[in-house]
Amino acid sequence: MATAASGLSEPQVLAQTKDRLFADREDAYVVADTQFAQQRWLNETPIEASVQATLAPFNHVQVGAGYPDLVGVQALSTDLLSVDRLGDRPPLIAVEAKGYTGNGGVDAERGVVQAHDRLNEANVAFLTAPRSGISTAARTMARELNVGVLGVDPDGSVAVLERPRVVGHGSMDAASAIRFQASAQGVADQNFGLNHPKNYIAVPLAVHYDGDARDLLASHVVGAVDGAIAGAAFLNLIDAGQGSLTLTPLGREVIRFALRTVGDLDAALQRFEDWQRSRKRFIDIAPQWGQLVRRVVSDYPATELLVDGLYACHRDGYDAPSLVEFVEYLHALHPEFTVELFLRGDEAVRQRVLTGDGELRRTELTDGSVYHSPTVFQLKAIYYHAGVVTERGAEPSNLDPETDEWALCDPLA
């Protein structure tokens, strides 16, 4: 930590602020801008490893006309806001940080203006800066512009100096990548632990059946019951909250399909028992059920982005792009989503792959270990079984990104 004489730097201020706003919150997802993943800050001042570890993961997310230093989603405590009710949807939060510069000043007023711009898309915006460098004029401007102000002290404590109101927004573009990760359907390390979609579409049948759903899944479908239930929840087939399993509207459609196709749930569960340990492509051995899987995964938020990206690749002459080519192509269209979907979230990987401006380093993309297993292995395997893509996924340890093919089975003309 900097001494009182030198003052807090911007990365230090931001790290303390992240701890104050987002630490130890399971419902949160937050990224720091890629400029903080670099080894040095202004005037070649090193960024401490502990600060970078606090700020990771990194992404370059545009909100409004610029790129906030910190952007995340979570429900904020009422002491941070000037309202008590936030609604059901947690707000998108943008944070602009300022620290002491080489001339000994803190440009807090500029930070307020930058934070205010983020309200074009964010629900809440904060300026955070060393408390000693925040002027009365900056606080007055922040109140007028509905920008929160956080003051960071040298001991690491963070004081709420101005509390903002939450503003509403509908659709979003780049920032929706962060909302996606913060939702139950985000591509997180815990989601698709199984790579065959039959394990997920069987869950609504077991939940609706008159019996113990977990025992039915273990005996008729797959031994990894927790993984099957978690994946079914991510696909919005069931609601696993509040200690019980209940069907969603999409899950009830699976039940109706089963009854219409095979007549009763006993026959349907017997089908799944017959398919246990099968490695054959699901849409080939069970075409009707495979089409059901395709319908289900089409509702998964990442699917539209990936399929549209693959279609655009095909249209532009990339009939069977490699993983490297596809990631480069998709990053040009949707950079924030691409980073969140394909790159592992740990500090070391994003430092390697992303420049300070959020661009990709192509040479690093050839290393399979930088990729996010739930996307390149489990999710791709689900798409393969559903007849969406031509090849199944591969574990990052066995992945050759330059030969791993990402192509649509039916690319259209």
Side-chain angles (χ1 to χ4, degrees), residues 63-67 111-122 125 147:
V63 180
Y67 297 85
V112 170
V113 172
Q114 290 174 318
H116 177 254
D117 170 78
R118 310 305 177 240
L119 287 174
N120 287 324
E121 291 187 8
V147 170

Side-chain angles (χ1 to χ4, degrees), residues 269-346:
L269 288 169
Q270 184 58 54
R271 292 279 182 92
F272 282 90
E273 188 169 344
D274 294 340
W275 293 325
Q276 280 185 322
R277 290 175 289 280
S278 171
R279 289 185 50 81
K280 295 180 180 179
R281 197 176 201 181
F282 194 49
I283 201 166
D284 292 335
I285 64 172
Q288 288 181 297
W289 289 88
Q291 288 296 335
L292 174 66
V293 170
R294 188 171 184 134
R295 157 76 175 87
V296 169
V297 300
S298 292
D299 277 2
Y300 185 68
T303 301
E304 181 179 351
L305 177 86
L306 292 171
V307 170
D308 284 353
L310 289 171
Y311 172 69
C313 270
H314 172 78
R315 186 188 58 209
D316 288 347
Y318 296 91
D319 293 331
S322 69
L323 176 58
V324 173
E325 291 170 332
F326 181 49
V327 167
E328 287 185 305
Y329 189 97
L330 195 63
H331 187 266
L333 300 175
H334 306 285
E336 297 84 3
F337 261 113
T338 304
V339 168
E340 296 301 327
L341 283 169
F342 282 95
L343 299 182
R344 285 170 47 204
D346 62 85

Side-chain angles (χ1 to χ4, degrees), residues 27 67 69 71 81 86 103 145 159 174 186 197 199 251 270 303 316 346 359 372 374 400 410:
D27 62 344
Y67 297 85
D69 295 320
V71 58
L81 301 168
L86 304 178
N103 61 15
L145 295 178
N199 299 318
Q270 184 58 54
T303 301
D316 288 347
D346 62 85
E359 297 301 318
H372 198 43
D400 181 354
D410 305 299

Side-chain angles (χ1 to χ4, degrees), residues 58-140:
F58 304 100
N59 201 345
H60 197 49
V61 181
Q62 185 169 3
V63 180
Y67 297 85
D69 295 320
L70 200 69
V71 58
V73 172
Q74 79 158 36
L76 292 173
S77 58
T78 54
D79 68 307
L80 291 162
L81 301 168
S82 62
V83 293
D84 294 329
R85 292 181 61 83
L86 304 178
D88 295 332
R89 185 161 122 157
L92 180 77
I93 304 157
V95 178
E96 292 292 341
K98 296 297 176 186
Y100 279 101
T101 61
N103 61 15
V106 176
D107 198 355
E109 292 183 24
R110 180 168 178 264
V112 170
V113 172
Q114 290 174 318
H116 177 254
D117 170 78
R118 310 305 177 240
L119 287 174
N120 287 324
E121 291 187 8
N123 302 114
V124 183
F126 287 98
L127 160 73
T128 184
R131 188 172 183 175
S132 58
I134 300 173
S135 66
T136 300
R139 291 184 58 174
T140 300

